[in-house]
Amino acid sequence: FGEALKLLAERTGVKLERTDTRVQGEKNRLLSVMELASQYYHQALLRSPKAEVARNYLSARGIDGAFIDEFHIGYALPDFEHLTPFLLSRKYTANEIVQVGLALKKDQGYGFFDRFRNRVMIPIRNVHGAVIGFGGRTLDDTAPGPKYINSPQTTLYDKGRTVFGLDRAKQAIRRADSVILVEGYMDFFAIYSSGMQNVVATSGTALTVDQIRLVKRFTPHFLFCFDADAAGGQATMRGIELALKEGIDVRIVEL
């Protein structure tokens, strides 16, 4: 296999890169932490009495049980120490849990606490479907702090290189030969659940060249459908400028 791979690479001009098996093993272990956390949050949403407020919120947003299962939507319990002790009990180290952005070290004394609390948890997956981060949506819009908290920059998750929903939408994008770009998770869910599954979200970040190039692998036809406010308008103009430089055919969806 190795000789055949090398021969084909030479014929097609592809540069082969050797993978450090130790580094790859560490990455796979971190991915397994994220997958287990996703399952934990999902079961908390489905089963915990404390998650009733989250279930009501999702129902009000038109997100039903089948959709919750498809996207493995979950809930972070309000306790400071819930997910972290569970992951530690499954033989993951505190350093690994912190490394993927699921826990924080206490300022005083020894110990760690959960980063996400009392939030609807939306798994963020890479193009291959592996969980690499989370978006946590607050259930109290009047509470201080941001409406959404995303996972921090980690060895797995780079916000500027990640396109939410692409793992699910890529086949529909190929079939339609076009992609609808929206800003947020809920925008994505609203369009995807309506039957237009050729949609992805920038997760609230300004569209980057890396995101454009990733989506361009599936279609060169972009339909911008960002928020119809001043910030959304500015984001659209910036995104259009970058997209045109990458040879993208651009359209704007006006609601």
Side-chain angles (χ1 to χ4, degrees):
F1 174 80
E3 291 176 355
L5 186 64
K6 184 179 179 181
L7 177 63
L8 291 172
E10 290 173 351
R11 286 184 178 179
T12 56
V14 174
K15 182 181 178 182
L16 294 178
E17 296 182 2
R18 291 188 176 276
T19 301
D20 187 326
T21 55
R22 181 182 60 82
V23 173
Q24 188 61 39
E26 291 174 356
K27 182 179 179 181
N28 288 339
R29 186 167 169 82
L30 295 180
L31 287 170
S32 69
V33 175
M34 297 298 278
E35 181 60 37
L36 184 58
S38 175
Q39 295 174 16
Y40 184 90
Y41 287 139
H42 185 58
Q43 290 302 315
L45 175 66
L46 298 180
R47 300 175 185 276
S48 175
K50 294 181 180 180
E52 186 66 25
V53 62
R55 292 191 288 266
N56 291 338
Y57 167 79
L58 292 170
S59 177
R61 297 298 297 260
I63 300 175
D64 60 19
F67 207 74
I68 288 170
D69 287 340
E70 180 177 357
F71 286 90
H72 229 62
I73 298 171
Y75 174 65
L77 294 163
D79 313 80
F80 274 81
E81 298 180 35
H82 217 284
L83 174 68
T84 301
F86 169 76
L87 294 175
L88 289 171
S89 73
R90 294 300 183 94
K91 307 305 180 185
Y92 292 104
T93 67
N95 181 61
E96 289 171 331
I97 301 168
V98 170
Q99 193 175 344
V100 294
L102 292 173
L104 296 166
K105 191 178 186 305
K106 292 180 179 178
D107 291 333
Q108 297 180 345
Y110 175 80
F112 302 86
F113 62 93
D114 295 352
R115 176 184 293 273
F116 298 99
R117 300 179 302 279
N118 194 29
R119 288 178 179 269
V120 168
M121 298 299 291
I122 302 166
I124 301 170
R125 301 177 184 272
N126 63 20
V127 69
H128 306 297
V131 179
I132 57 174
F134 290 95
R137 210 282 185 192
T138 183
L139 295 169
D140 184 2
D141 290 341
T142 64
K147 183 185 296 184
Y148 282 95
I149 294 179
N150 283 326
S151 292
Q153 184 92 1
T154 69
T155 54
L156 298 179
Y157 177 59
D158 184 337
K159 190 174 182 179
R161 294 173 178 268
T162 304
V163 179
F164 179 77
L166 186 57
D167 62 304
R168 291 284 183 177
K170 59 189 178 184
Q171 298 304 329
I173 291 170
R174 279 200 176 106
R175 287 194 298 270
D177 193 20
S178 66
V179 61
I180 304 166
L181 287 96
V182 297
E183 290 187 59
Y185 306 112
M186 294 302 168
D187 303 325
F188 170 90
F189 290 147
I191 294 177
Y192 189 96
S193 64
S194 76
M196 294 180 286
Q197 297 184 348
N198 58 322
V199 58
V200 296
T202 62
S203 303
T205 187
L207 189 65
T208 68
V209 172
D210 288 320
Q211 290 175 320
I212 291 170
R213 290 173 178 171
L214 179 58
V215 179
K216 187 183 177 182
R217 288 163 47 185
F218 303 95
T219 182
H221 306 292
F222 286 22
L223 290 79
F224 282 80
C225 188
F226 287 176
D227 292 351
D229 54 19
Q234 292 174 359
T236 300
M237 294 306 296
R238 288 195 301 268
I240 288 172
E241 184 177 354
L242 291 175
L244 290 176
K245 288 180 179 178
E246 294 297 318
I248 300 298
D249 171 51
V250 174
R251 296 288 184 272
I252 299 174
V253 178
E254 185 177 5
L255 302 179

